[in-house]
Amino acid sequence: MRGHTFLYVLPCVGEDYAKLGIATDPMSRLQAFSPRYYALFDLQQGWLVEAETEQEARGWETHWKRQLRAHAAPAPLTVPLRAGGHTEWLRGALTELGSLRDALELQGFTVHPSLQSWVRARLLQQRDLLASAEQAAVRSFGEPAQWPAAIAHPGLLRLRDGLDAYLALQLPIEDLLSAELCTWHARNSLLLTFAGDPW
């Protein structure tokens, strides 16, 4: 890990339970914890602080892990072992973590107080890649009208979860996708309830 680094706090939806960690690419970390990170984590309550160096971010993380040792908790069972970071989950520490964020902001560090806004910006940057993702899927599976359910193949699951991310964050993408893919997504999405009105 080198260069620009973020300290992140990722609260779980509906719980006073959060992941504290550092990353050069928080988006990759979110996706490592769950392909449906937008359902696992409360992105509105999550936040990031930009450190100037990895050493600085690691110092913050180490200090606060020690301060909050009494709040240490196991990782959720749904988080894969390969994601790592199993010693950085905290229960009942959101208030203290909020104080950490506020203190760093007062010191002049760049704070992203809503991870949801940060993730939306990242997805918007990647929005133009959706057409090429559809083309790659067509090369692998044929036309979307012929695709099986998403659960039939890991590649289709990834596509469904990626499209659901845009839906969860209220980012329109229908103008970048074929009508056939929109129909397939409407049948497979875990967020859509009316297949006749997918967007």
mmCIF file of all heavy atoms in Angstrom, residues 111-151:
data_model
loop_
_atom_site.group_PDB
_atom_site.id
_atom_site.type_symbol
_atom_site.label_atom_id
_atom_site.label_comp_id
_atom_site.label_asym_id
_atom_site.label_seq_id
_atom_site.Cartn_x
_atom_site.Cartn_y
_atom_site.Cartn_z
ATOM 1 N N VAL A 111 -12.274 15.205 4.718
ATOM 2 C CA VAL A 111 -13.229 14.206 5.197
ATOM 3 C C VAL A 111 -14.355 14.080 4.178
ATOM 4 O O VAL A 111 -14.876 15.083 3.687
ATOM 5 C CB VAL A 111 -13.803 14.611 6.577
ATOM 6 C CG1 VAL A 111 -14.934 13.674 6.988
ATOM 7 C CG2 VAL A 111 -12.703 14.627 7.629
ATOM 8 N N HIS A 112 -14.713 12.868 3.871
ATOM 9 C CA HIS A 112 -15.898 12.584 3.056
ATOM 10 C C HIS A 112 -16.943 12.059 4.039
ATOM 11 O O HIS A 112 -16.920 10.871 4.391
ATOM 12 C CB HIS A 112 -15.569 11.550 1.977
ATOM 13 C CG HIS A 112 -14.470 11.981 1.058
ATOM 14 N ND1 HIS A 112 -14.697 12.722 -0.089
ATOM 15 C CD2 HIS A 112 -13.121 11.820 1.136
ATOM 16 C CE1 HIS A 112 -13.542 12.963 -0.693
ATOM 17 N NE2 HIS A 112 -12.575 12.433 0.042
ATOM 18 N N PRO A 113 -17.834 12.948 4.518
ATOM 19 C CA PRO A 113 -18.728 12.576 5.626
ATOM 20 C C PRO A 113 -19.814 11.571 5.249
ATOM 21 O O PRO A 113 -20.427 10.980 6.124
ATOM 22 C CB PRO A 113 -19.341 13.911 6.046
ATOM 23 C CG PRO A 113 -19.260 14.763 4.822
ATOM 24 C CD PRO A 113 -18.018 14.339 4.100
ATOM 25 N N SER A 114 -20.046 11.398 3.953
ATOM 26 C CA SER A 114 -21.024 10.406 3.517
ATOM 27 C C SER A 114 -20.383 9.522 2.459
ATOM 28 O O SER A 114 -20.084 9.973 1.351
ATOM 29 C CB SER A 114 -22.274 11.079 2.932
ATOM 30 O OG SER A 114 -23.082 10.113 2.280
ATOM 31 N N LEU A 115 -20.182 8.273 2.816
ATOM 32 C CA LEU A 115 -19.622 7.333 1.852
ATOM 33 C C LEU A 115 -20.553 7.165 0.660
ATOM 34 O O LEU A 115 -20.112 6.894 -0.456
ATOM 35 C CB LEU A 115 -19.380 5.992 2.547
ATOM 36 C CG LEU A 115 -18.591 4.943 1.795
ATOM 37 C CD1 LEU A 115 -17.231 5.468 1.377
ATOM 38 C CD2 LEU A 115 -18.434 3.694 2.649
ATOM 39 N N GLN A 116 -21.837 7.374 0.876
ATOM 40 C CA GLN A 116 -22.798 7.249 -0.217
ATOM 41 C C GLN A 116 -22.479 8.234 -1.336
ATOM 42 O O GLN A 116 -22.479 7.859 -2.517
ATOM 43 C CB GLN A 116 -24.220 7.480 0.291
ATOM 44 C CG GLN A 116 -25.275 7.371 -0.796
ATOM 45 C CD GLN A 116 -26.664 7.376 -0.210
ATOM 46 O OE1 GLN A 116 -27.001 6.514 0.600
ATOM 47 N NE2 GLN A 116 -27.472 8.325 -0.616
ATOM 48 N N SER A 117 -22.181 9.479 -0.999
ATOM 49 C CA SER A 117 -21.842 10.480 -2.015
ATOM 50 C C SER A 117 -20.559 10.099 -2.736
ATOM 51 O O SER A 117 -20.444 10.249 -3.958
ATOM 52 C CB SER A 117 -21.690 11.859 -1.373
ATOM 53 O OG SER A 117 -22.894 12.256 -0.783
ATOM 54 N N TRP A 118 -19.588 9.588 -1.997
ATOM 55 C CA TRP A 118 -18.311 9.194 -2.590
ATOM 56 C C TRP A 118 -18.501 8.023 -3.547
ATOM 57 O O TRP A 118 -17.967 8.012 -4.661
ATOM 58 C CB TRP A 118 -17.323 8.852 -1.472
ATOM 59 C CG TRP A 118 -15.936 8.604 -1.956
ATOM 60 C CD1 TRP A 118 -14.938 9.519 -2.124
ATOM 61 C CD2 TRP A 118 -15.377 7.338 -2.344
ATOM 62 N NE1 TRP A 118 -13.803 8.911 -2.591
ATOM 63 C CE2 TRP A 118 -14.040 7.567 -2.743
ATOM 64 C CE3 TRP A 118 -15.874 6.042 -2.392
ATOM 65 C CZ2 TRP A 118 -13.199 6.547 -3.177
ATOM 66 C CZ3 TRP A 118 -15.043 5.018 -2.842
ATOM 67 C CH2 TRP A 118 -13.725 5.280 -3.223
ATOM 68 N N VAL A 119 -19.290 7.017 -3.132
ATOM 69 C CA VAL A 119 -19.531 5.852 -3.983
ATOM 70 C C VAL A 119 -20.323 6.264 -5.226
ATOM 71 O O VAL A 119 -20.030 5.801 -6.342
ATOM 72 C CB VAL A 119 -20.261 4.737 -3.200
ATOM 73 C CG1 VAL A 119 -20.745 3.634 -4.130
ATOM 74 C CG2 VAL A 119 -19.342 4.156 -2.136
ATOM 75 N N ARG A 120 -21.309 7.128 -5.068
ATOM 76 C CA ARG A 120 -22.070 7.608 -6.230
ATOM 77 C C ARG A 120 -21.139 8.248 -7.255
ATOM 78 O O ARG A 120 -21.265 8.011 -8.456
ATOM 79 C CB ARG A 120 -23.137 8.615 -5.795
ATOM 80 C CG ARG A 120 -24.401 7.991 -5.231
ATOM 81 C CD ARG A 120 -25.366 9.076 -4.751
ATOM 82 N NE ARG A 120 -25.728 9.984 -5.812
ATOM 83 C CZ ARG A 120 -26.763 9.845 -6.620
ATOM 84 N NH1 ARG A 120 -27.558 8.799 -6.503
ATOM 85 N NH2 ARG A 120 -27.029 10.728 -7.559
ATOM 86 N N ALA A 121 -20.209 9.060 -6.781
ATOM 87 C CA ALA A 121 -19.269 9.715 -7.699
ATOM 88 C C ALA A 121 -18.419 8.676 -8.426
ATOM 89 O O ALA A 121 -18.160 8.799 -9.629
ATOM 90 C CB ALA A 121 -18.391 10.706 -6.935
ATOM 91 N N ARG A 122 -17.977 7.646 -7.707
ATOM 92 C CA ARG A 122 -17.179 6.592 -8.336
ATOM 93 C C ARG A 122 -17.992 5.832 -9.383
ATOM 94 O O ARG A 122 -17.502 5.537 -10.476
ATOM 95 C CB ARG A 122 -16.647 5.623 -7.280
ATOM 96 C CG ARG A 122 -15.456 6.105 -6.513
ATOM 97 C CD ARG A 122 -14.197 6.204 -7.371
ATOM 98 N NE ARG A 122 -13.772 4.928 -7.912
ATOM 99 C CZ ARG A 122 -12.941 4.085 -7.307
ATOM 100 N NH1 ARG A 122 -12.403 4.417 -6.138
ATOM 101 N NH2 ARG A 122 -12.626 2.947 -7.867
ATOM 102 N N LEU A 123 -19.240 5.511 -9.057
ATOM 103 C CA LEU A 123 -20.074 4.792 -10.018
ATOM 104 C C LEU A 123 -20.362 5.641 -11.252
ATOM 105 O O LEU A 123 -20.401 5.126 -12.373
ATOM 106 C CB LEU A 123 -21.375 4.332 -9.359
ATOM 107 C CG LEU A 123 -21.247 3.203 -8.341
ATOM 108 C CD1 LEU A 123 -22.607 2.885 -7.729
ATOM 109 C CD2 LEU A 123 -20.635 1.958 -8.951
ATOM 110 N N LEU A 124 -20.549 6.929 -11.054
ATOM 111 C CA LEU A 124 -20.764 7.811 -12.200
ATOM 112 C C LEU A 124 -19.542 7.831 -13.111
ATOM 113 O O LEU A 124 -19.669 7.857 -14.340
ATOM 114 C CB LEU A 124 -21.105 9.229 -11.732
ATOM 115 C CG LEU A 124 -22.544 9.442 -11.279
ATOM 116 C CD1 LEU A 124 -22.706 10.815 -10.633
ATOM 117 C CD2 LEU A 124 -23.507 9.302 -12.470
ATOM 118 N N GLN A 125 -18.358 7.799 -12.526
ATOM 119 C CA GLN A 125 -17.134 7.754 -13.322
ATOM 120 C C GLN A 125 -17.057 6.477 -14.142
ATOM 121 O O GLN A 125 -16.501 6.472 -15.243
ATOM 122 C CB GLN A 125 -15.900 7.837 -12.422
ATOM 123 C CG GLN A 125 -15.685 9.183 -11.774
ATOM 124 C CD GLN A 125 -14.551 9.154 -10.755
ATOM 125 O OE1 GLN A 125 -13.963 8.108 -10.473
ATOM 126 N NE2 GLN A 125 -14.249 10.302 -10.183
ATOM 127 N N GLN A 126 -17.608 5.386 -13.620
ATOM 128 C CA GLN A 126 -17.531 4.085 -14.285
ATOM 129 C C GLN A 126 -18.737 3.802 -15.175
ATOM 130 O O GLN A 126 -18.789 2.771 -15.849
ATOM 131 C CB GLN A 126 -17.414 2.979 -13.236
ATOM 132 C CG GLN A 126 -16.190 3.090 -12.360
ATOM 133 C CD GLN A 126 -16.211 2.131 -11.188
ATOM 134 O OE1 GLN A 126 -17.134 1.343 -11.028
ATOM 135 N NE2 GLN A 126 -15.193 2.198 -10.362
ATOM 136 N N ARG A 127 -19.688 4.719 -15.186
ATOM 137 C CA ARG A 127 -20.955 4.490 -15.882
ATOM 138 C C ARG A 127 -20.757 4.144 -17.362
ATOM 139 O O ARG A 127 -21.430 3.284 -17.902
ATOM 140 C CB ARG A 127 -21.805 5.756 -15.722
ATOM 141 C CG ARG A 127 -23.230 5.648 -16.151
ATOM 142 C CD ARG A 127 -23.972 6.917 -15.756
ATOM 143 N NE ARG A 127 -25.283 6.945 -16.371
ATOM 144 C CZ ARG A 127 -25.542 7.513 -17.543
ATOM 145 N NH1 ARG A 127 -24.574 8.106 -18.221
ATOM 146 N NH2 ARG A 127 -26.756 7.494 -18.032
ATOM 147 N N ASP A 128 -19.802 4.804 -18.000
ATOM 148 C CA ASP A 128 -19.591 4.579 -19.423
ATOM 149 C C ASP A 128 -19.028 3.192 -19.731
ATOM 150 O O ASP A 128 -19.001 2.781 -20.895
ATOM 151 C CB ASP A 128 -18.657 5.651 -19.996
ATOM 152 C CG ASP A 128 -19.311 7.029 -20.008
ATOM 153 O OD1 ASP A 128 -20.563 7.090 -19.966
ATOM 154 O OD2 ASP A 128 -18.587 8.038 -20.050
ATOM 155 N N LEU A 129 -18.589 2.473 -18.703
ATOM 156 C CA LEU A 129 -18.065 1.124 -18.911
ATOM 157 C C LEU A 129 -19.175 0.078 -19.005
ATOM 158 O O LEU A 129 -18.918 -1.073 -19.355
ATOM 159 C CB LEU A 129 -17.112 0.749 -17.778
ATOM 160 C CG LEU A 129 -15.887 1.654 -17.589
ATOM 161 C CD1 LEU A 129 -15.104 1.218 -16.363
ATOM 162 C CD2 LEU A 129 -15.014 1.632 -18.831
ATOM 163 N N LEU A 130 -20.413 0.481 -18.698
ATOM 164 C CA LEU A 130 -21.503 -0.484 -18.677
ATOM 165 C C LEU A 130 -21.783 -1.063 -20.060
ATOM 166 O O LEU A 130 -22.079 -2.252 -20.194
ATOM 167 C CB LEU A 130 -22.771 0.142 -18.098
ATOM 168 C CG LEU A 130 -22.708 0.465 -16.599
ATOM 169 C CD1 LEU A 130 -23.954 1.204 -16.169
ATOM 170 C CD2 LEU A 130 -22.538 -0.811 -15.795
ATOM 171 N N ALA A 131 -21.690 -0.241 -21.103
ATOM 172 C CA ALA A 131 -21.947 -0.732 -22.456
ATOM 173 C C ALA A 131 -20.927 -1.805 -22.835
ATOM 174 O O ALA A 131 -21.288 -2.844 -23.402
ATOM 175 C CB ALA A 131 -21.925 0.417 -23.455
ATOM 176 N N SER A 132 -19.665 -1.573 -22.486
ATOM 177 C CA SER A 132 -18.650 -2.576 -22.813
ATOM 178 C C SER A 132 -18.837 -3.830 -21.947
ATOM 179 O O SER A 132 -18.557 -4.946 -22.389
ATOM 180 C CB SER A 132 -17.240 -2.006 -22.662
ATOM 181 O OG SER A 132 -17.025 -1.550 -21.350
ATOM 182 N N ALA A 133 -19.328 -3.664 -20.719
ATOM 183 C CA ALA A 133 -19.621 -4.830 -19.872
ATOM 184 C C ALA A 133 -20.735 -5.665 -20.494
ATOM 185 O O ALA A 133 -20.680 -6.905 -20.483
ATOM 186 C CB ALA A 133 -20.006 -4.379 -18.466
ATOM 187 N N GLU A 134 -21.742 -4.992 -21.044
ATOM 188 C CA GLU A 134 -22.818 -5.731 -21.718
ATOM 189 C C GLU A 134 -22.272 -6.468 -22.933
ATOM 190 O O GLU A 134 -22.589 -7.644 -23.153
ATOM 191 C CB GLU A 134 -23.946 -4.791 -22.138
ATOM 192 C CG GLU A 134 -25.054 -5.540 -22.870
ATOM 193 C CD GLU A 134 -26.262 -4.677 -23.214
ATOM 194 O OE1 GLU A 134 -26.294 -3.492 -22.843
ATOM 195 O OE2 GLU A 134 -27.189 -5.216 -23.856
ATOM 196 N N GLN A 135 -21.430 -5.819 -23.712
ATOM 197 C CA GLN A 135 -20.854 -6.464 -24.895
ATOM 198 C C GLN A 135 -20.048 -7.701 -24.502
ATOM 199 O O GLN A 135 -20.120 -8.742 -25.168
ATOM 200 C CB GLN A 135 -19.979 -5.474 -25.659
ATOM 201 C CG GLN A 135 -20.768 -4.355 -26.312
ATOM 202 C CD GLN A 135 -19.878 -3.220 -26.807
ATOM 203 O OE1 GLN A 135 -18.654 -3.315 -26.763
ATOM 204 N NE2 GLN A 135 -20.505 -2.157 -27.263
ATOM 205 N N ALA A 136 -19.276 -7.607 -23.425
ATOM 206 C CA ALA A 136 -18.493 -8.759 -22.962
ATOM 207 C C ALA A 136 -19.418 -9.891 -22.535
ATOM 208 O O ALA A 136 -19.152 -11.073 -22.812
ATOM 209 C CB ALA A 136 -17.586 -8.334 -21.807
ATOM 210 N N ALA A 137 -20.516 -9.548 -21.864
ATOM 211 C CA ALA A 137 -21.470 -10.566 -21.433
ATOM 212 C C ALA A 137 -22.138 -11.226 -22.637
ATOM 213 O O ALA A 137 -22.361 -12.443 -22.649
ATOM 214 C CB ALA A 137 -22.510 -9.957 -20.497
ATOM 215 N N VAL A 138 -22.439 -10.448 -23.651
ATOM 216 C CA VAL A 138 -23.049 -11.003 -24.865
ATOM 217 C C VAL A 138 -22.088 -11.975 -25.546
ATOM 218 O O VAL A 138 -22.491 -13.036 -26.035
ATOM 219 C CB VAL A 138 -23.479 -9.865 -25.822
ATOM 220 C CG1 VAL A 138 -23.792 -10.406 -27.212
ATOM 221 C CG2 VAL A 138 -24.685 -9.126 -25.251
ATOM 222 N N ARG A 139 -20.792 -11.632 -25.556
ATOM 223 C CA ARG A 139 -19.808 -12.549 -26.149
ATOM 224 C C ARG A 139 -19.763 -13.878 -25.376
ATOM 225 O O ARG A 139 -19.539 -14.937 -25.959
ATOM 226 C CB ARG A 139 -18.425 -11.900 -26.167
ATOM 227 C CG ARG A 139 -18.265 -10.831 -27.229
ATOM 228 C CD ARG A 139 -16.821 -10.443 -27.429
ATOM 229 N NE ARG A 139 -16.232 -9.831 -26.237
ATOM 230 C CZ ARG A 139 -16.281 -8.539 -25.952
ATOM 231 N NH1 ARG A 139 -16.927 -7.699 -26.760
ATOM 232 N NH2 ARG A 139 -15.711 -8.070 -24.854
ATOM 233 N N SER A 140 -19.980 -13.813 -24.081
ATOM 234 C CA SER A 140 -19.916 -15.025 -23.253
ATOM 235 C C SER A 140 -21.216 -15.820 -23.239
ATOM 236 O O SER A 140 -21.194 -17.057 -23.227
ATOM 237 C CB SER A 140 -19.554 -14.660 -21.814
ATOM 238 O OG SER A 140 -18.258 -14.109 -21.745
ATOM 239 N N PHE A 141 -22.347 -15.120 -23.216
ATOM 240 C CA PHE A 141 -23.625 -15.792 -22.976
ATOM 241 C C PHE A 141 -24.643 -15.669 -24.108
ATOM 242 O O PHE A 141 -25.733 -16.209 -24.002
ATOM 243 C CB PHE A 141 -24.260 -15.252 -21.688
ATOM 244 C CG PHE A 141 -23.390 -15.395 -20.468
ATOM 245 C CD1 PHE A 141 -22.726 -14.293 -19.938
ATOM 246 C CD2 PHE A 141 -23.224 -16.630 -19.867
ATOM 247 C CE1 PHE A 141 -21.915 -14.428 -18.821
ATOM 248 C CE2 PHE A 141 -22.413 -16.776 -18.755
ATOM 249 C CZ PHE A 141 -21.748 -15.672 -18.240
ATOM 250 N N GLY A 142 -24.310 -14.934 -25.170
ATOM 251 C CA GLY A 142 -25.284 -14.691 -26.222
ATOM 252 C C GLY A 142 -26.146 -13.483 -25.888
ATOM 253 O O GLY A 142 -25.838 -12.713 -24.980
ATOM 254 N N GLU A 143 -27.229 -13.335 -26.618
ATOM 255 C CA GLU A 143 -28.105 -12.175 -26.407
ATOM 256 C C GLU A 143 -28.822 -12.279 -25.061
ATOM 257 O O GLU A 143 -29.209 -13.373 -24.636
ATOM 258 C CB GLU A 143 -29.128 -12.067 -27.537
ATOM 259 C CG GLU A 143 -28.504 -11.752 -28.886
ATOM 260 C CD GLU A 143 -27.729 -10.444 -28.874
ATOM 261 O OE1 GLU A 143 -28.221 -9.470 -28.283
ATOM 262 O OE2 GLU A 143 -26.623 -10.393 -29.455
ATOM 263 N N PRO A 144 -29.014 -11.133 -24.381
ATOM 264 C CA PRO A 144 -29.632 -11.150 -23.044
ATOM 265 C C PRO A 144 -30.989 -11.843 -22.975
ATOM 266 O O PRO A 144 -31.324 -12.429 -21.947
ATOM 267 C CB PRO A 144 -29.749 -9.663 -22.690
ATOM 268 C CG PRO A 144 -28.642 -9.017 -23.455
ATOM 269 C CD PRO A 144 -28.550 -9.792 -24.749
ATOM 270 N N ALA A 145 -31.737 -11.803 -24.061
ATOM 271 C CA ALA A 145 -33.056 -12.455 -24.050
ATOM 272 C C ALA A 145 -32.936 -13.961 -23.826
ATOM 273 O O ALA A 145 -33.889 -14.606 -23.380
ATOM 274 C CB ALA A 145 -33.788 -12.170 -25.363
ATOM 275 N N GLN A 146 -31.738 -14.522 -24.110
ATOM 276 C CA GLN A 146 -31.524 -15.961 -23.965
ATOM 277 C C GLN A 146 -30.802 -16.322 -22.666
ATOM 278 O O GLN A 146 -30.560 -17.493 -22.408
ATOM 279 C CB GLN A 146 -30.704 -16.480 -25.151
ATOM 280 C CG GLN A 146 -31.283 -16.125 -26.510
ATOM 281 C CD GLN A 146 -32.706 -16.626 -26.681
ATOM 282 O OE1 GLN A 146 -33.008 -17.751 -26.295
ATOM 283 N NE2 GLN A 146 -33.582 -15.793 -27.221
ATOM 284 N N TRP A 147 -30.446 -15.329 -21.876
ATOM 285 C CA TRP A 147 -29.665 -15.618 -20.669
ATOM 286 C C TRP A 147 -30.494 -16.367 -19.628
ATOM 287 O O TRP A 147 -31.688 -16.096 -19.462
ATOM 288 C CB TRP A 147 -29.172 -14.329 -20.027
ATOM 289 C CG TRP A 147 -28.123 -13.613 -20.817
ATOM 290 C CD1 TRP A 147 -27.546 -14.001 -21.996
ATOM 291 C CD2 TRP A 147 -27.544 -12.351 -20.483
ATOM 292 N NE1 TRP A 147 -26.639 -13.060 -22.414
ATOM 293 C CE2 TRP A 147 -26.614 -12.029 -21.503
ATOM 294 C CE3 TRP A 147 -27.710 -11.462 -19.442
ATOM 295 C CZ2 TRP A 147 -25.857 -10.866 -21.502
ATOM 296 C CZ3 TRP A 147 -26.975 -10.292 -19.422
ATOM 297 C CH2 TRP A 147 -26.049 -10.008 -20.444
ATOM 298 N N PRO A 148 -29.850 -17.263 -18.898
ATOM 299 C CA PRO A 148 -30.538 -17.898 -17.762
ATOM 300 C C PRO A 148 -30.641 -16.912 -16.592
ATOM 301 O O PRO A 148 -30.169 -15.768 -16.679
ATOM 302 C CB PRO A 148 -29.608 -19.063 -17.418
ATOM 303 C CG PRO A 148 -28.249 -18.576 -17.813
ATOM 304 C CD PRO A 148 -28.465 -17.722 -19.045
ATOM 305 N N ALA A 149 -31.195 -17.374 -15.512
ATOM 306 C CA ALA A 149 -31.255 -16.548 -14.294
ATOM 307 C C ALA A 149 -29.835 -16.244 -13.813
ATOM 308 O O ALA A 149 -28.900 -17.026 -14.049
ATOM 309 C CB ALA A 149 -32.037 -17.274 -13.209
ATOM 310 N N ALA A 150 -29.676 -15.136 -13.135
ATOM 311 C CA ALA A 150 -28.355 -14.698 -12.664
ATOM 312 C C ALA A 150 -27.683 -15.759 -11.804
ATOM 313 O O ALA A 150 -26.464 -15.929 -11.862
ATOM 314 C CB ALA A 150 -28.484 -13.390 -11.892
ATOM 315 N N ILE A 151 -28.457 -16.499 -11.024
ATOM 316 C CA ILE A 151 -27.869 -17.485 -10.122
ATOM 317 C C ILE A 151 -27.233 -18.655 -10.864
ATOM 318 O O ILE A 151 -26.526 -19.459 -10.271
ATOM 319 C CB ILE A 151 -28.910 -18.021 -9.108
ATOM 320 C CG1 ILE A 151 -30.086 -18.680 -9.843
ATOM 321 C CG2 ILE A 151 -29.386 -16.917 -8.188
ATOM 322 C CD1 ILE A 151 -31.034 -19.410 -8.925
#
